[in-house]
Amino acid sequence: MKRRSPGSLAICLLLLLFLFGILEVIASANRVHENNNNNNNNNNGSSSLYWSTAKDEVDLLTKPQAQQEDDSDSDGGFSSLEGMLQWAIGHSDPAKLKETSQDVQRLSPTELNKRQTELKELMEKLKMPSDAQLMQIALDDLNNSSVSLEDRHRALQELLILVEPIDNANDFNKLGGFAVVIQELNHPDSDIRRIAAWILGTASQNNPVVQRQILELGALAQLIKMVKSSSVEEATKALYAVSALIRSNVAGQELFYAEAGDLMLQDVLSNSSIDIRLRKKAVFLVGDLTECQLENMERAELPFFSSHIFLKSVVDQTASDDLDLQEKALVAIKNLLHLRMADPLVFKEFCGLDAALERMRQQLHNLMSDEVLRDYAMDMESLRGEVELIFRRKLGEVTQVPT
C-alpha cells in the first residue's frame, strides 16, 4: 500500500526543515542580489543576508504557537507546516543551519530561482493526499488479489474511518467503493467480513442516499445471513449494518421482510443463550420498525407484528438483569401495543406481560435505594408505568362488557 513509514516521515521532517529555512534564505538572497544590482558600491550585502537569516530563525523558534496559521495539510500531529518547521529547527544543529545559509549566499540568481522551483515541487510531493485519494488507495488494495491479509485488513480499517463523514460517504460510491466493500462480505476471513459490514453500517447511518445505493447493490440479503454467524463480533456488526440500512427507509424495510428479516429477529430474540449485544440490537430494531409503522399508518400492518411467538420473545427480554436491554424491550412493547392489530389478551395470557411488568416494578423499586442508579431507575419506572397504562387501557377496552 502507498503509505509512509516512520522512517519516511522522519525524512520528511528533515526535508521540511531545510525547505522552509532555505526558502526564507532564498527570498533574502534574492533581495540582496537585487540590491547589489541597484547599488554596486554596497559592500555589506553578504553581511546583511547572514544577520537577516539568523534573526528570522530566532523569530521562528520563539514565535508563540497561538499565532501560527492552521494548515489543512498538516502531518504527524503538527498543527501546521510552520509548527513542524519550528520543531525541526529546535532539534537541529545551529552551526549546520548557518553553514546552509552561507552556501545559499554564494548561489547566483539563476541558481537561486532553479533551487526555489525544485523546492516548491518537492513541497507539493510531500503534501498529504485528500480523503478521496486515500479512499482510492485503500480500494486499489482491496481490488488487488495478491495483497496480504494484513494489508487488506488495514485498508478496510482506513475506509471505516474515511466513510464516517457524510460527504465522504456520499462520494464513496462514485469511486465504486460500496461494490468493492460488499464483495468483502464473502471473504473467508471472519474479521474481514466483520469490518466490511461495519463500513456499510457506518456509511449508511442516517443517510438515505447511501442506504439506497447499498440496497440496490444487493447487500442486505448477505448481511441478514451474516447475523447467523457463529462469530458474535461478525453477527453483531452485520445486524448493526442491517439496522442502519433500513432505519426510516420504507423501501429498505419491505426488502428486509422479503428476505425473511423478521424471522431472523425472532430467532435472535427467542434464544436466551445468544450474546446479549446481539439481542440488544435486535430488540432495538424491533422498536425502530414498529415506530416507522406507526408513522406510516396507511401501510398495512404485517402479520409478523401479531405473531404470538415473536411477541413473547420481545416480552421475555424484560426478564434480563441488563437494564439497557429491559429499556429497549419496553420501548418495543410500547410501540407494539399501539398498533391497530395489537391484542392485549395475547400479551397477557400468552406473553405474560402483566407478570413481567410487576416483576420490573419491584426490581426498579429496589434500585431506587441505590444513589448511583436512582435517577435511571426512576426514568425506567416512568417508561414501565407508561407501558402498563397503555396495556391496561387496551385490556379494559377488550374485557369491558357492553351495556
Side-chain angles (χ1 to χ4, degrees):
M1 296 179 67
K2 303 175 183 177
R3 299 180 180 82
R4 295 180 187 169
S5 65
S8 65
L9 179 57
I11 293 173
C12 288
L13 287 175
L14 291 175
L15 285 173
L16 284 171
L17 161 64
F18 289 104
L19 284 175
F20 280 84
I22 293 174
L23 283 176
E24 179 62 29
V25 173
I26 288 173
S28 299
N30 277 331
R31 291 194 294 270
V32 171
H33 277 288
E34 290 175 1
N35 290 336
N36 287 339
N37 290 334
N38 294 331
N39 186 2
N40 293 326
N41 295 325
N42 186 352
N43 296 321
N44 297 321
S46 298
S47 175
S48 299
L49 174 62
Y50 168 73
W51 289 110
S52 173
T53 303
K55 181 177 183 298
D56 288 342
E57 290 169 0
V58 173
D59 288 344
L60 281 171
L61 286 169
T62 58
K63 184 177 180 181
Q65 184 71 20
Q67 295 178 8
Q68 298 176 9
E69 295 182 1
D70 292 334
D71 193 310
S72 59
D73 291 327
S74 62
D75 192 5
F78 295 96
S79 61
S80 66
L81 291 175
E82 188 177 347
M84 187 186 296
L85 171 63
Q86 291 185 35
W87 181 90
I89 290 177
H91 292 76
S92 300
D93 185 350
K96 289 185 178 180
L97 289 177
K98 178 180 177 181
E99 182 181 350
T100 300
S101 66
Q102 291 174 336
D103 289 341
V104 173
Q105 292 174 36
R106 292 189 285 269
L107 297 176
S108 67
T110 301
E111 291 173 325
L112 286 172
N113 289 332
K114 180 181 178 182
R115 182 68 59 85
Q116 190 173 21
T117 300
E118 291 173 350
L119 292 175
K120 286 182 178 180
E121 291 175 353
L122 182 57
M123 288 175 64
E124 288 296 320
K125 293 179 181 179
L126 290 174
K127 283 185 177 180
M128 286 294 291
S130 66
D131 283 358
Q133 290 171 323
L134 290 172
M135 289 192 291
Q136 186 61 63
I137 291 171
L139 290 173
D140 289 343
D141 281 344
L142 294 178
N143 282 322
N144 184 355
S145 59
S146 63
V147 75
S148 68
L149 183 63
E150 180 183 0
D151 281 346
R152 187 172 296 276
H153 185 277
R154 188 183 296 115
L156 289 169
Q157 289 284 7
E158 290 174 356
L159 289 177
L160 179 61
I161 297 171
L162 288 166
V163 301
E164 187 170 357
I166 190 169
D167 289 339
N168 286 358
N170 289 337
D171 290 339
F172 194 52
N173 198 52
K174 299 174 185 177
L175 302 174
F178 290 126
V180 174
V181 172
I182 289 171
Q183 289 178 356
E184 299 301 315
L185 296 178
N186 297 307
H187 195 278
D189 184 78
S190 174
D191 206 38
I192 293 294
R193 299 194 300 268
R194 175 186 66 86
I195 305 174
W198 196 354
I199 291 171
L200 297 177
T202 299
S204 58
Q205 197 77 267
N206 302 314
N207 191 328
V209 174
V210 171
Q211 285 177 331
R212 176 179 54 78
Q213 291 170 344
I214 297 176
L215 289 170
E216 288 177 351
L217 289 169
L220 187 59
Q222 180 62 23
L223 288 168
I224 291 174
K225 292 179 183 178
M226 287 170 60
V227 176
K228 302 175 183 178
S229 170
S230 58
S231 166
V232 174
E233 300 299 332
E234 177 184 343
T236 302
K237 292 307 180 188
L239 187 50
Y240 161 73
V242 170
S243 296
L245 277 173
I246 67 176
R247 183 167 300 137
S248 303
N249 188 312
V250 174
Q253 290 172 16
E254 291 176 352
L255 183 58
F256 172 78
Y257 296 127
E259 296 290 346
D262 49 354
L263 296 180
M264 175 271 290
L265 289 178
Q266 181 175 297
D267 290 343
V268 171
L269 295 174
S270 298
N271 188 348
S272 59
S273 65
I274 285 182
D275 190 276
I276 193 169
R277 292 171 294 173
L278 200 58
R279 286 187 285 142
K280 282 183 182 182
K281 291 188 181 299
V283 78
F284 178 81
L285 180 53
V286 171
D288 196 62
L289 291 171
T290 48
E291 182 178 351
C292 188
Q293 178 67 60
L294 292 170
E295 292 173 351
N296 297 273
M297 296 298 290
E298 71 281 359
R299 291 172 58 194
E301 294 180 354
L302 298 172
F304 165 65
F305 290 131
S306 59
S307 164
H308 294 190
I309 296 176
F310 166 70
L311 294 175
K312 188 175 187 305
S313 71
V314 176
V315 173
D316 285 348
Q317 305 309 308
T318 61
S320 171
D321 293 332
D322 188 285
L323 292 176
D324 185 43
L325 179 55
Q326 288 184 7
E327 182 180 13
K328 288 177 170 59
L330 282 174
V331 171
I333 293 169
K334 183 180 74 171
N335 291 344
L336 286 165
L337 285 169
H338 275 306
L339 295 176
R340 293 189 301 268
M341 63 171 58
D343 185 344
L345 291 177
V346 172
F347 278 95
K348 175 181 172 60
E349 298 172 0
F350 188 84
C351 303
L353 179 58
D354 51 350
L357 291 172
E358 175 58 23
R359 182 174 58 250
M360 285 189 67
R361 187 191 68 78
Q362 295 176 5
Q363 179 190 24
L364 293 171
H365 177 75
N366 293 334
L367 289 176
M368 288 179 192
S369 60
D370 187 321
E371 185 176 350
V372 176
L373 297 174
R374 181 181 300 129
D375 290 344
Y376 186 68
M378 291 179 66
D379 290 342
M380 282 278 290
E381 171 56 25
S382 177
L383 176 59
R384 189 208 66 83
E386 184 180 356
V387 172
E388 184 172 24
L389 182 62
I390 298 169
F391 173 53
R392 298 297 178 192
R393 185 178 297 157
K394 295 205 89 170
L395 197 60
E397 291 175 358
V398 173
T399 57
Q400 185 177 6
V401 179
T403 56

